[in-house]
């Protein structure tokens, strides 16, 4: 667990400030009546540059909906998302296109976001081609640099994602996200499909990238132990609302809400024993 909640200094501007976010979905019902589902019901929080906020919650609590709204994949029904002081909900399409590369989203299953027919090199240079900022040779150099950055060998540039292990694929997804030099990385259950030792390696990579590049993370998970390991702050979601939020250590030591207690109970006892803040 991190000791300091860095970046929450009084004079620092938030990178992201979410205010009263609401997302309503139309839901079909057996009777044919139009029903509505509130996937997000007044979510507010702030993330400071260089810090990690973990959003934890059970299945269906609204975590991925939140991620989609922040990454501009969906529009919230109401509410504000201030990114570096601009409300991205209200931006026009052109201005939003400029903000979008700065907020990158990584999913649980990189296979869904990595084109299986493209080589590692093609996957890494595609965002750069779209940006039209680099010459061909520069792009190749950048791809090699990014691979090394995430602990992969440049020798794999000709391989297809299907030829990589789960951990290698997730490192590649991180490299691809980093290629656009985002300010905020949203990781939606990005470690959940990996086995324990690979999870730990990627978690350490994320922390290393945070200290070397000053990355800011929104780390979405149902795993309270991993949240506590990676995050400065934890927000607990239940039915579209944040029901509890605070420094990671406080959430572990003095959980208040029944959702937090359930998530804590789901942490394997052997892992719980390694968490210094939890009273056994
Ligand atoms: N496109 C959609 N249309 C209708 N309902 C949706 C849509 N996307 C999500 N929902 C509903 O919104 C609620 C929140 O879903 P969401 O995927 O955000 O949960 P989650 O916390 O990410 O769950 P999980 O841990 O299983 O990934 C759920 O009830 C879900 O069925
Ligand atoms: Mg989800």
């Amino acid at each position: 667990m991190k000791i300091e909640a860095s970046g929450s200094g009084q004079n620092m501007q938030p990178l992201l400030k979410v205010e009263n976010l609401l997302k309503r979905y139309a839901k079909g019902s057996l009777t044919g009546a139009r029903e509505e589902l509130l996937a997000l019901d007044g979510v507010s929080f702030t993330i400071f540059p260089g810090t990690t906020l973990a959003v934890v919650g059970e299945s269906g609590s609204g975590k991925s909906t939140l991620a989609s709204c922040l990454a501009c994949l969906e529009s919230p029904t109401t509410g504000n998302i201030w990114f570096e002081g601009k409300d991205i909900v209200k931006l026009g399409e052109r201005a939003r296109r400029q903000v979008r590369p700065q907020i990158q989203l990584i999913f649980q299953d990189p296979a869904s976001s990595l084109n299986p027919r493209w080589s590692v090199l093609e996957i890494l240079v595609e965002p750069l081609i779209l940006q039209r900022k680099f010459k061909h040779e520069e792009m190749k150099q950048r791809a090699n640099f990014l691979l090394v950055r995430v602990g992969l060998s440049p020798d794999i540039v000709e391989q297809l994602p299907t030829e990589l292990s789960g951990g290698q694929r997730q490192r590649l997804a991180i490299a691809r996200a980093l290629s656009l030099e985002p300010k905020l990385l949203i990781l939606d259950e990005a470690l959940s499909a990996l086995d324990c030792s690979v999870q730990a390696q990627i978690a350490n990579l994320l922390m290393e990238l945070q200290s070397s590049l000053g990355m800011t993370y929104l780390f979405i998970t149902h795993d309270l132990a991993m949240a506590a390991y990676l995050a400065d702050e934890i927000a607990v979601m239940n039915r579209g609302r944040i029901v509890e939020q605070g420094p990671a250590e406080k959430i572990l030591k003095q959980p208040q809400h029944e959702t937090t207690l359930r998530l804590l109970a789901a942490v394997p006892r052997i892992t719980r024993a390694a968490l210094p803040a939890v009273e056994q």
Side-chain angles (χ1 to χ4, degrees):
M1 187 191 309
K2 295 194 193 170
I3 309 296
E4 281 172 53
S6 58
S8 50
Q10 300 303 312
N11 47 14
M12 202 179 251
Q13 292 297 316
L15 179 67
L16 183 79
K17 188 173 168 145
V18 174
E19 277 179 337
N20 217 6
L21 214 59
L22 205 125
K23 178 70 183 175
R24 200 173 277 134
Y25 286 118
K27 187 176 114 181
S29 78
L30 290 175
T31 60
R34 241 179 91 82
E35 284 181 26
E36 287 189 329
L37 181 136
L38 258 189
L40 296 177
D41 185 8
V43 170
S44 303
F45 61 83
T46 301
I47 310 183
F48 287 90
T51 68
T52 302
L53 173 72
V55 172
V56 300
E58 290 157 318
S59 186
S61 55
K63 306 181 299 294
S64 295
T65 306
L66 174 65
S68 299
C69 291
L70 299 182
C72 304
L73 300 178
E74 293 201 61
S75 298
T77 308
T78 57
N80 309 93
I81 302 171
W82 303 94
F83 183 74
E84 294 195 306
K86 278 190 217 140
D87 185 357
I88 58 174
V89 177
K90 299 213 166 61
L91 289 182
E93 186 48 39
R94 212 164 136 205
R96 201 182 294 183
R97 227 179 293 150
Q98 292 188 333
V99 173
R100 219 177 266 164
Q102 298 182 41
I103 305 175
Q104 289 292 308
L105 180 55
I106 297 181
F107 299 98
Q108 172 168 351
D109 177 15
S112 60
S113 55
L114 302 174
N115 189 326
R117 287 183 295 274
W118 286 0
S119 69
V120 167
L121 181 64
E122 287 168 320
I123 286 168
L124 286 176
V125 300
E126 190 236 12
L128 305 176
I129 293 172
L130 294 177
Q131 292 264 300
R132 295 189 200 152
K133 273 200 213 150
F134 301 93
K135 295 194 186 109
H136 186 72
E137 207 39 46
E138 278 175 341
M139 286 196 272
K140 270 179 119 172
Q141 279 173 8
R142 230 179 127 61
N144 281 353
F145 172 78
L146 285 165
L147 286 172
V148 174
R149 196 95 208 53
V150 300
L152 290 171
S153 161
D155 297 345
I156 65 164
V157 283
E158 296 303 327
Q159 284 181 239
L160 298 173
T162 45
E163 295 167 337
L164 304 177
S165 70
Q168 283 177 317
R169 272 204 291 273
Q170 206 50 297
R171 284 176 193 267
L172 177 60
I174 294 171
R176 186 175 195 274
L178 291 179
S179 71
L180 294 172
E181 299 182 334
K183 294 193 173 137
L184 176 67
L185 209 54
I186 304 173
L187 298 121
D188 188 355
E189 301 279 7
L191 308 186
S192 308
L194 305 170
D195 70 46
C196 276
S197 67
V198 182
Q199 272 191 0
Q201 286 165 17
I202 309 260
N204 291 339
L205 168 68
L206 291 172
M207 286 167 90
E208 191 273 308
L209 292 172
Q210 186 163 61
S211 50
S212 56
L213 304 175
M215 288 303 303
T216 308
Y217 299 129
L218 180 75
F219 185 79
I220 293 174
T221 182
H222 58 267
D223 180 347
L224 198 50
M226 191 50 89
Y229 182 65
L230 271 172
D232 302 291
E233 289 239 344
I234 296 179
V236 182
M237 277 187 82
N238 178 260
R239 296 173 180 227
R241 289 169 174 264
I242 293 181
V243 292
E244 182 166 6
Q245 179 171 358
E249 193 163 337
K250 183 157 184 278
I251 299 286
L252 283 184
K253 231 180 197 161
Q254 299 156 355
Q256 301 292 317
H257 198 272
E258 58 186 279
T259 308
T260 322
L261 290 167
R262 275 200 304 275
L263 291 167
L264 199 52
V267 174
R269 218 185 302 160
I270 188 164
T271 316
R272 240 182 299 160
L275 295 172
V278 180
E279 276 148 32
Q280 302 294 312

